[in-house]
Each structure stands twice: as structure tokens, then as C-alpha cells.
PDB file of all heavy atoms in Angstrom:
ATOM      1  N   VAL A   1    -137.924  96.496 252.731  1.00 89.00           N
ATOM      2  CA  VAL A   1    -137.137  97.681 252.371  1.00 89.00           C
ATOM      3  C   VAL A   1    -136.864  97.712 250.869  1.00 89.00           C
ATOM      4  O   VAL A   1    -137.072  98.735 250.196  1.00 89.00           O
ATOM      5  CB  VAL A   1    -135.806  97.710 253.154  1.00 89.00           C
ATOM      6  CG1 VAL A   1    -134.893  98.820 252.631  1.00 89.00           C
ATOM      7  CG2 VAL A   1    -136.064  97.904 254.640  1.00 89.00           C
ATOM      8  N   ILE A   2    -136.421  96.570 250.334  1.00 86.00           N
ATOM      9  CA  ILE A   2    -136.094  96.524 248.903  1.00 86.00           C
ATOM     10  C   ILE A   2    -137.356  96.639 248.048  1.00 86.00           C
ATOM     11  O   ILE A   2    -137.348  97.291 246.999  1.00 86.00           O
ATOM     12  CB  ILE A   2    -135.327  95.230 248.571  1.00 86.00           C
ATOM     13  CG1 ILE A   2    -134.009  95.194 249.336  1.00 86.00           C
ATOM     14  CG2 ILE A   2    -135.058  95.127 247.074  1.00 86.00           C
ATOM     15  CD1 ILE A   2    -133.201  93.949 249.120  1.00 86.00           C
ATOM     16  N   LEU A   3    -138.458  96.019 248.505  1.00 81.00           N
ATOM     17  CA  LEU A   3    -139.722  96.130 247.768  1.00 81.00           C
ATOM     18  C   LEU A   3    -140.201  97.574 247.751  1.00 81.00           C
ATOM     19  O   LEU A   3    -140.716  98.061 246.734  1.00 81.00           O
ATOM     20  CB  LEU A   3    -140.778  95.229 248.407  1.00 81.00           C
ATOM     21  CG  LEU A   3    -142.162  95.209 247.739  1.00 81.00           C
ATOM     22  CD1 LEU A   3    -142.056  94.849 246.258  1.00 81.00           C
ATOM     23  CD2 LEU A   3    -143.086  94.233 248.459  1.00 81.00           C
ATOM     24  N   GLY A   4    -140.017  98.289 248.871  1.00 84.00           N
ATOM     25  CA  GLY A   4    -140.368  99.706 248.904  1.00 84.00           C
ATOM     26  C   GLY A   4    -139.562 100.506 247.894  1.00 84.00           C
ATOM     27  O   GLY A   4    -140.099 101.366 247.189  1.00 84.00           O
ATOM     28  N   LEU A   5    -138.256 100.202 247.793  1.00 83.00           N
ATOM     29  CA  LEU A   5    -137.412 100.852 246.783  1.00 83.00           C
ATOM     30  C   LEU A   5    -137.886 100.509 245.374  1.00 83.00           C
ATOM     31  O   LEU A   5    -137.857 101.355 244.474  1.00 83.00           O
ATOM     32  CB  LEU A   5    -135.952 100.432 246.963  1.00 83.00           C
ATOM     33  CG  LEU A   5    -135.231 100.956 248.199  1.00 83.00           C
ATOM     34  CD1 LEU A   5    -133.841 100.345 248.294  1.00 83.00           C
ATOM     35  CD2 LEU A   5    -135.138 102.480 248.164  1.00 83.00           C
ATOM     36  N   GLY A   6    -138.341  99.262 245.213  1.00 78.00           N
ATOM     37  CA  GLY A   6    -138.840  98.836 243.905  1.00 78.00           C
ATOM     38  C   GLY A   6    -140.089  99.593 243.492  1.00 78.00           C
ATOM     39  O   GLY A   6    -140.238  99.988 242.335  1.00 78.00           O
ATOM     40  N   VAL A   7    -140.994  99.797 244.456  1.00 78.00           N
ATOM     41  CA  VAL A   7    -142.218 100.562 244.163  1.00 78.00           C
ATOM     42  C   VAL A   7    -141.871 102.001 243.800  1.00 78.00           C
ATOM     43  O   VAL A   7    -142.402 102.570 242.841  1.00 78.00           O
ATOM     44  CB  VAL A   7    -143.175 100.521 245.369  1.00 78.00           C
ATOM     45  CG1 VAL A   7    -144.353 101.467 245.144  1.00 78.00           C
ATOM     46  CG2 VAL A   7    -143.692  99.102 245.599  1.00 78.00           C
ATOM     47  N   LEU A   8    -140.944 102.601 244.557  1.00 79.00           N
ATOM     48  CA  LEU A   8    -140.540 103.980 244.287  1.00 79.00           C
ATOM     49  C   LEU A   8    -139.836 104.096 242.928  1.00 79.00           C
ATOM     50  O   LEU A   8    -140.096 105.048 242.169  1.00 79.00           O
ATOM     51  CB  LEU A   8    -139.616 104.483 245.396  1.00 79.00           C
ATOM     52  CG  LEU A   8    -140.250 104.678 246.770  1.00 79.00           C
ATOM     53  CD1 LEU A   8    -139.205 105.074 247.801  1.00 79.00           C
ATOM     54  CD2 LEU A   8    -141.356 105.742 246.703  1.00 79.00           C
ATOM     55  N   SER A   9    -138.957 103.154 242.624  1.00 74.00           N
ATOM     56  CA  SER A   9    -138.275 103.199 241.326  1.00 74.00           C
ATOM     57  C   SER A   9    -139.250 102.967 240.183  1.00 74.00           C
ATOM     58  O   SER A   9    -139.124 103.564 239.114  1.00 74.00           O
ATOM     59  CB  SER A   9    -137.148 102.161 241.282  1.00 74.00           C
ATOM     60  OG  SER A   9    -137.661 100.843 241.404  1.00 74.00           O
ATOM     61  N   GLY A  10    -140.254 102.110 240.423  1.00 73.00           N
ATOM     62  CA  GLY A  10    -141.288 101.896 239.411  1.00 73.00           C
ATOM     63  C   GLY A  10    -142.092 103.153 239.156  1.00 73.00           C
ATOM     64  O   GLY A  10    -142.467 103.453 238.019  1.00 73.00           O
ATOM     65  N   MET A  11    -142.346 103.917 240.215  1.00 75.00           N
ATOM     66  CA  MET A  11    -143.041 105.187 240.060  1.00 75.00           C
ATOM     67  C   MET A  11    -142.192 106.165 239.255  1.00 75.00           C
ATOM     68  O   MET A  11    -142.715 106.920 238.425  1.00 75.00           O
ATOM     69  CB  MET A  11    -143.360 105.764 241.436  1.00 75.00           C
ATOM     70  CG  MET A  11    -144.404 104.971 242.220  1.00 75.00           C
ATOM     71  SD  MET A  11    -144.510 105.420 243.976  1.00 75.00           S
ATOM     72  CE  MET A  11    -145.071 107.116 243.850  1.00 75.00           C
ATOM     73  N   GLY A  12    -140.867 106.138 239.481  1.00 71.00           N
ATOM     74  CA  GLY A  12    -139.977 107.016 238.720  1.00 71.00           C
ATOM     75  C   GLY A  12    -139.956 106.666 237.248  1.00 71.00           C
ATOM     76  O   GLY A  12    -140.019 107.553 236.378  1.00 71.00           O
ATOM     77  N   VAL A  13    -139.897 105.368 236.946  1.00 69.00           N
ATOM     78  CA  VAL A  13    -139.927 104.922 235.549  1.00 69.00           C
ATOM     79  C   VAL A  13    -141.243 105.320 234.894  1.00 69.00           C
ATOM     80  O   VAL A  13    -141.273 105.790 233.748  1.00 69.00           O
ATOM     81  CB  VAL A  13    -139.723 103.388 235.474  1.00 69.00           C
ATOM     82  CG1 VAL A  13    -139.973 102.886 234.054  1.00 69.00           C
ATOM     83  CG2 VAL A  13    -138.311 103.015 235.907  1.00 69.00           C
ATOM     84  N   SER A  14    -142.351 105.122 235.622  1.00 70.00           N
ATOM     85  CA  SER A  14    -143.663 105.465 235.076  1.00 70.00           C
ATOM     86  C   SER A  14    -143.777 106.962 234.792  1.00 70.00           C
ATOM     87  O   SER A  14    -144.336 107.372 233.771  1.00 70.00           O
ATOM     88  CB  SER A  14    -144.760 105.031 236.052  1.00 70.00           C
ATOM     89  OG  SER A  14    -146.039 105.382 235.575  1.00 70.00           O
ATOM     90  N   MET A  15    -143.231 107.780 235.688  1.00 71.00           N
ATOM     91  CA  MET A  15    -143.278 109.227 235.482  1.00 71.00           C
ATOM     92  C   MET A  15    -142.524 109.637 234.227  1.00 71.00           C
ATOM     93  O   MET A  15    -142.989 110.479 233.446  1.00 71.00           O
ATOM     94  CB  MET A  15    -142.688 109.936 236.704  1.00 71.00           C
ATOM     95  CG  MET A  15    -143.666 110.137 237.848  1.00 71.00           C
ATOM     96  SD  MET A  15    -145.021 111.273 237.413  1.00 71.00           S
ATOM     97  CE  MET A  15    -144.115 112.814 237.233  1.00 71.00           C
ATOM     98  N   MET A  16    -141.357 109.049 233.996  1.00 69.00           N
ATOM     99  CA  MET A  16    -140.545 109.416 232.842  1.00 69.00           C
ATOM    100  C   MET A  16    -141.110 108.871 231.536  1.00 69.00           C
ATOM    101  O   MET A  16    -140.934 109.466 230.479  1.00 69.00           O
ATOM    102  CB  MET A  16    -139.109 108.924 233.038  1.00 69.00           C
ATOM    103  CG  MET A  16    -138.328 109.728 234.071  1.00 69.00           C
ATOM    104  SD  MET A  16    -136.577 109.281 234.119  1.00 69.00           S
ATOM    105  CE  MET A  16    -136.662 107.637 234.806  1.00 69.00           C
ATOM    106  N   GLU A  17    -141.791 107.730 231.603  1.00 66.00           N
ATOM    107  CA  GLU A  17    -142.300 107.118 230.370  1.00 66.00           C
ATOM    108  C   GLU A  17    -143.700 107.591 230.007  1.00 66.00           C
ATOM    109  O   GLU A  17    -144.010 107.811 228.841  1.00 66.00           O
ATOM    110  CB  GLU A  17    -142.287 105.595 230.501  1.00 66.00           C
ATOM    111  CG  GLU A  17    -140.906 104.979 230.446  1.00 66.00           C
ATOM    112  CD  GLU A  17    -140.974 103.470 230.312  1.00 66.00           C
ATOM    113  OE1 GLU A  17    -141.942 102.862 230.834  1.00 66.00           O
ATOM    114  OE2 GLU A  17    -140.076 102.887 229.683  1.00 66.00           O
ATOM    115  N   THR A  18    -144.581 107.726 231.023  1.00 67.00           N
ATOM    116  CA  THR A  18    -145.990 108.029 230.733  1.00 67.00           C
ATOM    117  C   THR A  18    -146.466 109.328 231.380  1.00 67.00           C
ATOM    118  O   THR A  18    -147.531 109.827 231.026  1.00 67.00           O
ATOM    119  CB  THR A  18    -146.901 106.879 231.215  1.00 67.00           C
ATOM    120  OG1 THR A  18    -146.821 106.784 232.641  1.00 67.00           O
ATOM    121  CG2 THR A  18    -146.446 105.549 230.606  1.00 67.00           C
ATOM    122  N   GLY A  19    -145.716 109.839 232.356  1.00 65.00           N
ATOM    123  CA  GLY A  19    -146.162 111.031 233.063  1.00 65.00           C
ATOM    124  C   GLY A  19    -147.072 110.735 234.225  1.00 65.00           C
ATOM    125  O   GLY A  19    -147.476 111.646 234.959  1.00 65.00           O
ATOM    126  N   ASN A  20    -147.409 109.454 234.442  1.00 68.00           N
ATOM    127  CA  ASN A  20    -148.253 109.054 235.571  1.00 68.00           C
ATOM    128  C   ASN A  20    -147.379 108.563 236.716  1.00 68.00           C
ATOM    129  O   ASN A  20    -146.427 107.797 236.506  1.00 68.00           O
ATOM    130  CB  ASN A  20    -149.218 107.939 235.156  1.00 68.00           C
ATOM    131  CG  ASN A  20    -150.185 108.400 234.079  1.00 68.00           C
ATOM    132  OD1 ASN A  20    -150.661 109.531 234.123  1.00 68.00           O
ATOM    133  ND2 ASN A  20    -150.472 107.534 233.117  1.00 68.00           N
ATOM    134  N   LEU A  21    -147.700 108.979 237.934  1.00 65.00           N
ATOM    135  CA  LEU A  21    -146.889 108.611 239.085  1.00 65.00           C
ATOM    136  C   LEU A  21    -147.027 107.137 239.422  1.00 65.00           C
ATOM    137  O   LEU A  21    -146.035 106.467 239.740  1.00 65.00           O
ATOM    138  CB  LEU A  21    -147.295 109.455 240.292  1.00 65.00           C
ATOM    139  CG  LEU A  21    -146.453 109.254 241.562  1.00 65.00           C
ATOM    140  CD1 LEU A  21    -145.002 109.637 241.300  1.00 65.00           C
ATOM    141  CD2 LEU A  21    -147.025 110.065 242.714  1.00 65.00           C
ATOM    142  N   LEU A  22    -148.230 106.602 239.332  1.00 65.00           N
ATOM    143  CA  LEU A  22    -148.468 105.213 239.704  1.00 65.00           C
ATOM    144  C   LEU A  22    -149.145 104.496 238.539  1.00 65.00           C
ATOM    145  O   LEU A  22    -150.311 104.761 238.242  1.00 65.00           O
ATOM    146  CB  LEU A  22    -149.360 105.138 240.947  1.00 65.00           C
ATOM    147  CG  LEU A  22    -149.330 103.835 241.745  1.00 65.00           C
ATOM    148  CD1 LEU A  22    -147.940 103.594 242.309  1.00 65.00           C
ATOM    149  CD2 LEU A  22    -150.344 103.883 242.878  1.00 65.00           C
ATOM    150  N   PRO A  23    -148.429 103.595 237.847  1.00 63.00           N
ATOM    151  CA  PRO A  23    -149.028 102.896 236.708  1.00 63.00           C
ATOM    152  C   PRO A  23    -150.167 101.985 237.155  1.00 63.00           C
ATOM    153  O   PRO A  23    -150.051 101.268 238.151  1.00 63.00           O
ATOM    154  CB  PRO A  23    -147.860 102.082 236.138  1.00 63.00           C
ATOM    155  CG  PRO A  23    -146.896 101.935 237.278  1.00 63.00           C
ATOM    156  CD  PRO A  23    -147.044 103.186 238.098  1.00 63.00           C
ATOM    157  N   ALA A  24    -151.256 102.028 236.433  1.00 61.00           N
ATOM    158  CA  ALA A  24    -152.424 101.205 236.770  1.00 61.00           C
ATOM    159  C   ALA A  24    -152.329  99.869 236.049  1.00 61.00           C
ATOM    160  O   ALA A  24    -153.013  99.612 235.053  1.00 61.00           O
ATOM    161  CB  ALA A  24    -153.712 101.936 236.386  1.00 61.00           C
ATOM    162  N   ASP A  25    -151.423  98.997 236.523  1.00 61.00           N
ATOM    163  CA  ASP A  25    -151.290  97.675 235.912  1.00 61.00           C
ATOM    164  C   ASP A  25    -151.286  96.603 236.998  1.00 61.00           C
ATOM    165  O   ASP A  25    -151.220  96.884 238.193  1.00 61.00           O
ATOM    166  CB  ASP A  25    -150.018  97.589 235.059  1.00 61.00           C
ATOM    167  CG  ASP A  25    -148.766  97.970 235.834  1.00 61.00           C
ATOM    168  OD1 ASP A  25    -148.758  97.802 237.061  1.00 61.00           O
ATOM    169  OD2 ASP A  25    -147.798  98.437 235.207  1.00 61.00           O
ATOM    170  N   HIS A  26    -151.356  95.345 236.536  1.00 63.00           N
ATOM    171  CA  HIS A  26    -151.444  94.227 237.474  1.00 63.00           C
ATOM    172  C   HIS A  26    -150.184  94.091 238.322  1.00 63.00           C
ATOM    173  O   HIS A  26    -150.248  93.776 239.514  1.00 63.00           O
ATOM    174  CB  HIS A  26    -151.710  92.926 236.710  1.00 63.00           C
ATOM    175  CG  HIS A  26    -153.030  92.897 236.013  1.00 63.00           C
ATOM    176  ND1 HIS A  26    -153.230  93.462 234.771  1.00 63.00           N
ATOM    177  CD2 HIS A  26    -154.229  92.395 236.397  1.00 63.00           C
ATOM    178  CE1 HIS A  26    -154.494  93.298 234.414  1.00 63.00           C
ATOM    179  NE2 HIS A  26    -155.117  92.655 235.378  1.00 63.00           N
ATOM    180  N   LYS A  27    -149.031  94.325 237.713  1.00 67.00           N
ATOM    181  CA  LYS A  27    -147.770  94.171 238.444  1.00 67.00           C
ATOM    182  C   LYS A  27    -147.706  95.132 239.630  1.00 67.00           C
ATOM    183  O   LYS A  27    -147.312  94.744 240.735  1.00 67.00           O
ATOM    184  CB  LYS A  27    -146.592  94.413 237.504  1.00 67.00           C
ATOM    185  CG  LYS A  27    -145.245  94.212 238.170  1.00 67.00           C
ATOM    186  CD  LYS A  27    -144.107  94.421 237.187  1.00 67.00           C
ATOM    187  CE  LYS A  27    -142.763  94.251 237.881  1.00 67.00           C
ATOM    188  NZ  LYS A  27    -141.630  94.452 236.960  1.00 67.00           N
ATOM    189  N   THR A  28    -148.102  96.389 239.396  1.00 71.00           N
ATOM    190  CA  THR A  28    -148.098  97.377 240.476  1.00 71.00           C
ATOM    191  C   THR A  28    -149.079  96.986 241.572  1.00 71.00           C
ATOM    192  O   THR A  28    -148.770  97.087 242.766  1.00 71.00           O
ATOM    193  CB  THR A  28    -148.473  98.765 239.925  1.00 71.00           C
ATOM    194  OG1 THR A  28    -147.545  99.128 238.907  1.00 71.00           O
ATOM    195  CG2 THR A  28    -148.452  99.804 241.027  1.00 71.00           C
ATOM    196  N   LEU A  29    -150.258  96.514 241.176  1.00 73.00           N
ATOM    197  CA  LEU A  29    -151.279  96.107 242.145  1.00 73.00           C
ATOM    198  C   LEU A  29    -150.780  94.971 243.032  1.00 73.00           C
ATOM    199  O   LEU A  29    -150.898  95.020 244.267  1.00 73.00           O
ATOM    200  CB  LEU A  29    -152.552  95.676 241.411  1.00 73.00           C
ATOM    201  CG  LEU A  29    -153.692  95.140 242.286  1.00 73.00           C
ATOM    202  CD1 LEU A  29    -154.174  96.215 243.245  1.00 73.00           C
ATOM    203  CD2 LEU A  29    -154.843  94.642 241.412  1.00 73.00           C
ATOM    204  N   PHE A  30    -150.198  93.933 242.409  1.00 70.00           N
ATOM    205  CA  PHE A  30    -149.704  92.795 243.180  1.00 70.00           C
ATOM    206  C   PHE A  30    -148.525  93.198 244.068  1.00 70.00           C
ATOM    207  O   PHE A  30    -148.391  92.701 245.183  1.00 70.00           O
ATOM    208  CB  PHE A  30    -149.289  91.654 242.237  1.00 70.00           C
ATOM    209  CG  PHE A  30    -150.451  90.946 241.590  1.00 70.00           C
ATOM    210  CD1 PHE A  30    -150.488  90.746 240.221  1.00 70.00           C
ATOM    211  CD2 PHE A  30    -151.501  90.476 242.353  1.00 70.00           C
ATOM    212  CE1 PHE A  30    -151.548  90.092 239.619  1.00 70.00           C
ATOM    213  CE2 PHE A  30    -152.578  89.826 241.768  1.00 70.00           C
ATOM    214  CZ  PHE A  30    -152.599  89.633 240.400  1.00 70.00           C
ATOM    215  N   SER A  31    -147.661  94.085 243.579  1.00 74.00           N
ATOM    216  CA  SER A  31    -146.511  94.541 244.367  1.00 74.00           C
ATOM    217  C   SER A  31    -146.969  95.309 245.603  1.00 74.00           C
ATOM    218  O   SER A  31    -146.454  95.108 246.707  1.00 74.00           O
ATOM    219  CB  SER A  31    -145.585  95.416 243.514  1.00 74.00           C
ATOM    220  OG  SER A  31    -145.036  94.685 242.440  1.00 74.00           O
ATOM    221  N   LEU A  32    -147.948  96.204 245.417  1.00 78.00           N
ATOM    222  CA  LEU A  32    -148.473  96.964 246.553  1.00 78.00           C
ATOM    223  C   LEU A  32    -149.185  96.055 247.551  1.00 78.00           C
ATOM    224  O   LEU A  32    -149.072  96.244 248.771  1.00 78.00           O
ATOM    225  CB  LEU A  32    -149.433  98.049 246.055  1.00 78.00           C
ATOM    226  CG  LEU A  32    -148.802  99.207 245.275  1.00 78.00           C
ATOM    227  CD1 LEU A  32    -149.888 100.123 244.726  1.00 78.00           C
ATOM    228  CD2 LEU A  32    -147.837  99.993 246.163  1.00 78.00           C
ATOM    229  N   ALA A  33    -149.901  95.053 247.027  1.00 77.00           N
ATOM    230  CA  ALA A  33    -150.589  94.109 247.909  1.00 77.00           C
ATOM    231  C   ALA A  33    -149.570  93.285 248.707  1.00 77.00           C
ATOM    232  O   ALA A  33    -149.758  93.036 249.905  1.00 77.00           O
ATOM    233  CB  ALA A  33    -151.485  93.189 247.085  1.00 77.00           C
ATOM    234  N   ALA A  34    -148.478  92.869 248.051  1.00 76.00           N
ATOM    235  CA  ALA A  34    -147.432  92.121 248.745  1.00 76.00           C
ATOM    236  C   ALA A  34    -146.753  92.994 249.797  1.00 76.00           C
ATOM    237  O   ALA A  34    -146.459  92.534 250.913  1.00 76.00           O
ATOM    238  CB  ALA A  34    -146.393  91.617 247.738  1.00 76.00           C
ATOM    239  N   PHE A  35    -146.498  94.262 249.454  1.00 80.00           N
ATOM    240  CA  PHE A  35    -145.902  95.201 250.407  1.00 80.00           C
ATOM    241  C   PHE A  35    -146.783  95.338 251.641  1.00 80.00           C
ATOM    242  O   PHE A  35    -146.300  95.329 252.779  1.00 80.00           O
ATOM    243  CB  PHE A  35    -145.698  96.567 249.740  1.00 80.00           C
ATOM    244  CG  PHE A  35    -144.992  97.578 250.591  1.00 80.00           C
ATOM    245  CD1 PHE A  35    -143.605  97.640 250.608  1.00 80.00           C
ATOM    246  CD2 PHE A  35    -145.708  98.464 251.389  1.00 80.00           C
ATOM    247  CE1 PHE A  35    -142.950  98.569 251.404  1.00 80.00           C
ATOM    248  CE2 PHE A  35    -145.059  99.390 252.180  1.00 80.00           C
ATOM    249  CZ  PHE A  35    -143.675  99.445 252.190  1.00 80.00           C
ATOM    250  N   ALA A  36    -148.090  95.448 251.418  1.00 82.00           N
ATOM    251  CA  ALA A  36    -149.037  95.578 252.529  1.00 82.00           C
ATOM    252  C   ALA A  36    -149.079  94.302 253.371  1.00 82.00           C
ATOM    253  O   ALA A  36    -149.113  94.360 254.606  1.00 82.00           O
ATOM    254  CB  ALA A  36    -150.427  95.899 251.990  1.00 82.00           C
ATOM    255  N   ALA A  37    -149.058  93.139 252.701  1.00 78.00           N
ATOM    256  CA  ALA A  37    -149.116  91.863 253.424  1.00 78.00           C
ATOM    257  C   ALA A  37    -147.887  91.676 254.310  1.00 78.00           C
ATOM    258  O   ALA A  37    -147.989  91.248 255.466  1.00 78.00           O
ATOM    259  CB  ALA A  37    -149.229  90.710 252.429  1.00 78.00           C
TER     260      ALA A  37
END
């Protein structure tokens, strides 16, 4: 639950800083992989 909130908040930060909904970086990739696992 908290990791899901973290992914959503990360998307919000990315939108405000870069305009992209999902940042294409290693941290996001590992977080999504952990969420899936």
C-alpha cells in the first residue's frame, strides 16, 4: 500500500518537475519491479 503511494507521489513529482508522468530512471524501474514482486 505504501509503495503504491510512493509510486503515485513519484509520478506527481515527475509531472511538476519535468512534465513526464513516469520518470524513466533506475529508481522507478526497481520500485515498479518490487511492487510487482
Side-chain angles (χ1 to χ4, degrees):
V1 171
I2 298 178
L3 181 55
L5 290 175
V7 172
L8 292 176
S9 63
M11 292 167 64
V13 171
S14 178
M15 276 294 293
M16 287 188 291
E17 287 191 329
T18 65
N20 297 321
L21 184 62
L22 200 63
D25 54 27
H26 295 83
K27 183 178 179 180
T28 302
L29 176 62
F30 288 130
S31 297
L32 291 174
F35 185 87

